[in-house]
Amino acid sequence: MRRKSLARATTAILLAVACLAQVQAKPVKLTLWSGYPDLQGFYESVAKEFTAQNPDITVEVQTFALADLDKKLGMSIPSKTSADILELISLYSFPWATKYFSEVPANLKKGCLDVVNKTYLHDVMYGEKMMGLPFCFYSEVLYYNKDMLAEAGLKGPPDTIEQLVDYATKMTKRDADGNVVRSGISLRFAGNPSGTCEKFWAFGLMPFGGDILAESAKKPGKFHNGFDNEAGRKALGLYLDLIYKHKVTDFNIKQDSDAFAQGKAAMLEREQWVVGTLKTAAPGLNYGASALPKGTARNTFAITRNMFVPKAAKDQAAAWKFVSFFYSKPIMERMVRETGWLSTRADLDYKALLKESPQLLAGIDNPPDLKFIWQKRLTIENGIMTKMGEEITKLLRDQGLQGNEAKIREEIHKLGAIVDDMLKDSDLYAE
Amino acid sequence: MNSGRGKRLFADREEASFILAVLVPTMAAFLVIRLAPIAETFVGSFFNWSLVDGFGRFVGVRNYVRLFADKTFYSSFVNTINFTVFTTLFSVVLGLLFACLLNRKPRFSTLYETIIFVPVVLTFVPVCLVWMWLLDWESGFVNVALRALGLPRVSWLATPTMSMVSVIIVSVWKVIGYNMIIFSVGLKAIPREYYEASAIDGSSRWTVFRRVTLPLLKPITLFVTVMAVINNLKVFTQVYVMTMGKQGGGAQVDVLVSDIYTRSFVYYRMGSASAEAMVLLVVVLAMTALQFRLAREDE
């Protein structure tokens, strides 16, 4: 009898241990979404390294074009079908952060706060709550082709808006029919409208002290458009003058980093990722990068890329474990060295890491008068930027606006009213 | 007698059971997949709601009022109608033309049929990307060919008007083959006797086409036109790929479905998007009803 009981107890213990072992060994497969297909390889290599150290957790990386990822979020987050880890630019996280994402665990938050450049916490801190981990940042800088600059007899990049217009005019090339075959500066006319607005914001509004949204002085937390003013009018005027008066580019010629890589644009206003792209697209290109030229002010935006874990993630602990691994110093050093994206960690030696890509230092060694302008973290901010981008591209195609101050004033006022209406719809408007 | 009546009744029941067994699952699926979302969209169009915050407050017809005051909605509506009219017109006329030509069985007619039909089975997104290369202002084949002929280059995708023209060209090219096949089936069903009688009467080819072929093809023409109108009113893929995803100099073309998409998944204004979706539904229904009515009046 005693022997029988002992045997039963032993069997029960063995079964329990076996079950426990099975529970502990249950493999977890996480999915990570990113809006940067060019980083697929990097993410996969990090995921592989992570799994080597954590055999029970595998991470599948899925990347999409940035604008497509935004649309996927709109459908998947409310239906709780998104990935377990979301790598998002701040703008895309604003609608979801407080309601759908889980808070960064205390130990990871502390670890991050110990090493992060505090400037870059702007978009993820909601009171004391940290809703995502900002691992990377980017800003807008000016890229210039050194050979074309020298060919035009110019010594260095433009430092002011006046110089920019002058330099762009000098570096523009046309064919016998007068068609632009090389833009003095590439301008953004199309593509994801939110991105078009982003460029207008940095290149047009910011040098004149304007902004997309301005917080109400009377009612903090409420906003109105920040460009129905002199800055907005100057910004639109600058674009129109570049296209129709100085004719430094047109709607037919290639634009953006492709044009810069192919020598079809002498200057380009873009973010740091261009350096990584040019490494493969135009390895022999002789170019430099500098801070954006100043008008009445020298401003640029700063945007962070952040890791979020939705509340609906199948295993939050495992997901945060991966994020923690990802933000470790060796991985961040690798990210900077291999991809050219800049980390928010303050303890990295950028000068040593960026020997091969000195252009990236334009985002780090900033002029003392440079000021970062941040987004306002509103749910509808992406919607506002998209709407503005759509309207701006239409305005830029209206040649009749060039030089017509009254008409420019009217159009900017109309655009401001559209933005204010969107704010009113969301109960976020105040003068 | 009783047994006879019972037998007949049994036969009816069996038939009724069969009909129900076949119809009920289909109708249930149709109800859940088609009608319920339409009903939900209709209800949603009277609310201020978003994907982020869910259903908000009841706003009555405000979403409709603001929609009709919205410039983007109007341009989307006009663009959609323009696209539908021109794409339907060209694709139906050209589809009929090719069907008539190939119905005469010229040499290599099967090869021609295959070549014209191939675009129908190709996936639209890569097709649009290829067309964007072909229409590229600087190095696209079309402009290179125009220059070789001594003609000026065309900014196919740089202005809203030309972007629309380009989208129509690609859409017509894509669907001609489908229309051609449907018309070919219709042409083959026309009894030869009519043509023989016309030949005896000494009618010209044009008269035969006008008096025999066209009237007898009317049901097929109606089918092709109705399907084309419905499909064209829902245009999205080619517009999105060719005019909205470009970071070059491409000019964006707004159409109703792309506007609904933007309102839903970019602005998160589902009430407004629902209202626009209902407008699109009404337009599609009205156009279809109108076409059937016109066809009936002609009869």
Side-chain angles (χ1 to χ4, degrees), chain B residues 62-196:
Chain B
R62 201 184 75 162
N63 286 328
Y64 289 93
V65 172
R66 294 193 64 170
L67 187 71
F68 291 126
D70 189 332
K71 240 173 37 179
T72 309
F73 167 72
Y74 273 110
S75 66
S76 304
F77 188 83
V78 170
N79 284 337
T80 306
I81 297 298
N82 283 338
F83 174 85
T84 303
V85 169
F86 288 109
T87 307
T88 306
L89 182 70
F90 288 120
S91 67
V92 171
V93 170
L94 291 174
L96 178 60
L97 177 73
F98 285 126
C100 289
L101 290 174
L102 293 175
N103 196 43
R104 289 196 213 152
K105 292 287 167 202
R107 277 183 77 191
F108 309 120
S109 62
T110 315
L111 178 69
Y112 295 141
E113 255 178 17
T114 310
I115 291 171
I116 297 168
F117 189 75
V118 160
V120 178
V121 294
L122 297 177
T123 312
F124 221 155
V125 172
V127 159
C128 291
L129 293 174
V130 171
W131 269 99
M132 281 166 67
W133 293 333
L134 293 174
L135 298 173
D136 185 80
W137 187 77
E138 288 174 285
S139 51
F141 172 78
V142 178
N143 273 348
V144 169
L146 287 174
R147 290 190 89 180
L149 294 170
L151 297 168
R153 286 187 284 190
V154 177
S155 307
W156 293 103
L157 293 164
T159 64
T161 309
M162 285 314 294
S163 281
M164 176 56 93
V165 170
S166 305
V167 169
I168 290 172
I169 290 172
V170 175
S171 306
V172 170
W173 168 84
K174 180 87 170 66
V175 82
I176 281 177
Y178 175 79
N179 292 350
M180 178 193 72
I181 293 293
I182 304 287
F183 278 122
S184 295
V185 173
L187 286 170
K188 285 187 180 89
I190 298 176
R192 305 303 312 165
E193 290 81 5
Y194 291 113
Y195 291 112
E196 285 162 11

Side-chain angles (χ1 to χ4, degrees), chain A residues 377-388:
Chain A
R377 307 200 315 184
L378 308 183
T379 301
I380 54 158
E381 209 157 347
N382 190 27
I384 286 174
M385 291 180 72
T386 302
K387 187 71 186 168
M388 273 186 75

